[in-house]
Amino acid sequence: MARRFPSVWTAVLFLVWVLLLGEVTAQDATKPHILLIVADDLGWSDVSWNNPNVVTPNLQTLATEGVILNQTYSQPTCSPSRTALLTGKFPFRLGMQNVLESSRAYGLSLDEELLPQKLKKLGYETHMIGKWHLGSCKWEYTPTERGFDSYYGYHGGGQGYFTHMSARALDFWDDKTPVTDQSGVYSTELFATRAESIIAQHDPTTPLFLYMPFQAVHVPHDVPSSYVQSFSAVPDDGRKSILGMVKAMDDAIKRVTDALQNKGLWNNTITIFLSDNGGEYGDGQSNWPLRGAKGTTWEGGTRVPAFVHGSMLGRKGYAYDGFFAGRHRHVAEHIYRSRLSQN
């Protein structure tokens, strides 16, 4: 019988709020800033704490100084995982159990109140940078109509990292305005630049929610040549590109955390990092030693690298091997919703 995996996102947020409610120090009474980073199609062995041949020094530091989540499970594909992330519900309850096709006129139900909308009720300023993939057939389905104060990224499932073109057309947006002047600039670097700008202009007295679902490491294998050269000894071209893309994302994340530190926000920031699903078969990602890949319900498709980091956590520097699934889900959703409803 196939396993029924709950929302990885609900589980992670449950753990975060438990840590915040039960293990924070007394002086950390203010609402934390939240940095939520989602990699796209990142395999289990595409991070350095699971594979020493991967070069992610900045993520490595965050992971080992925080709590590594070794039994974190996602949906097997992107739209379902993102649905679960922003609603705290199984995607099949909302008709979002399949990858959303950009040619079809539907999206995540407008009846759902999403995570950024809940956070705004708690006084948060909310920003999104990166991949949406939850519907864009009408403006009502897009990020700035779903609780985000600003949006910079693309609506569909994939596109060129330099051209920002999907199979159908240009798909790059600043809120609701097409971005037409960034052709040739790598999306991972553009996303970091926008994050730096948001953080620099942020009012430190207002809690910040910054959601960064990166394009990396989804196909196509676009990456600046300088990153590929670092892995010239790797014989497989696909693997070489993935390693370069991961390193580029790691550098971008360092720029974001440096910006938070320079603004004086870092010590009150909780960072959550994870992948939306496992790596693809044959695209250079590695889920070893797990069986399966993206699109399957084997662990290679649903067990993802993840960690949580924050100076306010009472216990840090360890790997948590507990499993979130089955009976834990109703508790997770209850805690998640009750915590967000507090004033």
Side-chain angles (χ1 to χ4, degrees):
M1 179 181 295
R3 283 179 178 170
R4 294 180 60 215
F5 293 114
S7 161
V8 58
W9 319 102
T10 303
V12 171
L13 289 171
F14 164 67
L15 175 61
V16 170
W17 290 124
V18 166
L19 290 167
L20 288 173
L21 290 169
E23 296 190 12
V24 295
T25 55
Q27 63 266 32
D28 291 316
T30 58
K31 296 184 179 75
H33 307 294
I34 303 171
L35 173 61
L36 177 55
I37 303 170
V38 179
D40 198 341
D41 294 356
L42 190 70
W44 178 258
S45 289
D46 291 335
V47 292
S48 54
W49 58 94
N50 290 333
N51 182 353
N53 295 318
V54 178
V55 182
T56 53
N58 303 306
L59 286 171
Q60 176 76 21
T61 297
L62 294 174
T64 55
E65 290 181 352
V67 182
I68 296 172
L69 307 173
N70 273 337
Q71 294 282 341
T72 302
Y73 289 85
S74 72
Q75 299 294 314
T77 53
C78 45
S79 297
S81 285
R82 294 160 205 273
T83 296
L85 164 60
L86 295 182
T87 65
K89 296 180 180 179
F90 279 107
F92 67 77
R93 293 179 57 190
L94 305 173
M96 292 291 290
Q97 66 270 26
N98 298 314
V99 175
L100 190 146
E101 299 176 14
S102 58
S103 60
R104 297 184 62 188
Y106 75 104
L108 179 57
S109 173
L110 299 178
D111 294 332
E112 293 298 315
E113 185 178 44
L114 306 187
L115 176 61
Q117 294 168 311
K118 292 178 179 294
L119 287 171
K120 286 192 69 64
K121 290 181 178 179
L122 291 175
Y124 277 78
E125 187 173 302
T126 60
H127 299 276
M128 178 180 173
I129 303 171
K131 175 176 175 175
W132 176 239
H133 208 191
L134 291 174
S136 58
C137 58
K138 295 182 179 179
W139 287 122
E140 291 92 328
Y141 286 93
T142 61
T144 54
E145 299 276 348
R146 308 302 299 265
F148 288 103
D149 294 317
S150 76
Y151 173 63
Y152 188 73
Y154 60 106
H155 292 154
Q159 60 173 334
Y161 287 71
F162 291 101
T163 66
H164 317 299
M165 298 287 292
S166 70
R168 299 170 65 85
L170 176 72
D171 184 14
F172 196 11
W173 302 88
D174 188 346
D175 294 338
K176 297 180 181 179
T177 302
V179 178
T180 60
D181 60 350
Q182 296 300 323
S183 178
V185 185
Y186 195 52
S187 65
T188 301
E189 296 170 355
L190 286 171
F191 295 162
T193 299
R194 175 52 63 97
E196 290 171 329
S197 176
I198 289 172
I199 293 165
Q201 299 175 46
H202 184 70
D203 178 359
T205 64
T206 301
L208 170 66
F209 173 53
L210 180 56
Y211 171 41
M212 294 192 70
F214 276 91
Q215 184 173 358
V217 294
H218 194 284
V219 292
H221 289 169
D222 293 341
V223 60
S225 59
S226 59
Y227 284 104
V228 176
Q229 291 168 7
S230 301
F231 302 99
S232 58
V234 177
D236 181 80
D237 288 342
R239 185 61 179 165
K240 189 184 303 182
S241 295
I242 291 296
L243 292 172
M245 294 165 79
V246 173
K247 181 61 171 64
M249 180 174 63
D250 185 74
D251 286 350
I253 291 169
K254 180 65 161 55
R255 290 173 57 187
V256 176
T257 58
D258 282 351
L260 289 166
Q261 291 172 358
N262 293 337
K263 188 67 174 182
L265 306 179
W266 182 244
N267 288 339
N268 192 37
T269 295
I270 188 153
T271 300
I272 307 162
F273 173 88
L274 69 170
S275 181
D276 64 341
N277 45 249
E280 281 271 23
Y281 280 125
D283 279 344
Q285 294 97 316
S286 175
N287 301 310
W288 190 91
L290 306 179
R291 179 183 183 183
K294 174 183 177 179
T296 75
T297 53
W298 301 112
E299 286 202 329
T302 58
R303 186 178 174 186
V304 296
F307 67 77
V308 58
H309 174 281
S311 62
M312 73 288 292
L313 302 180
R315 185 184 173 200
K316 303 183 285 286
Y318 72 102
Y320 180 74
D321 294 317
F323 175 70
F324 289 103
R327 63 185 177 85
H328 296 286
R329 179 180 179 277
H330 71 282
V331 178
E333 190 164 303
H334 171 73
I335 296 293
Y336 164 70
R337 294 184 184 284
S338 64
R339 178 60 180 87
L340 290 180
S341 67
Q342 294 177 9
N343 295 317

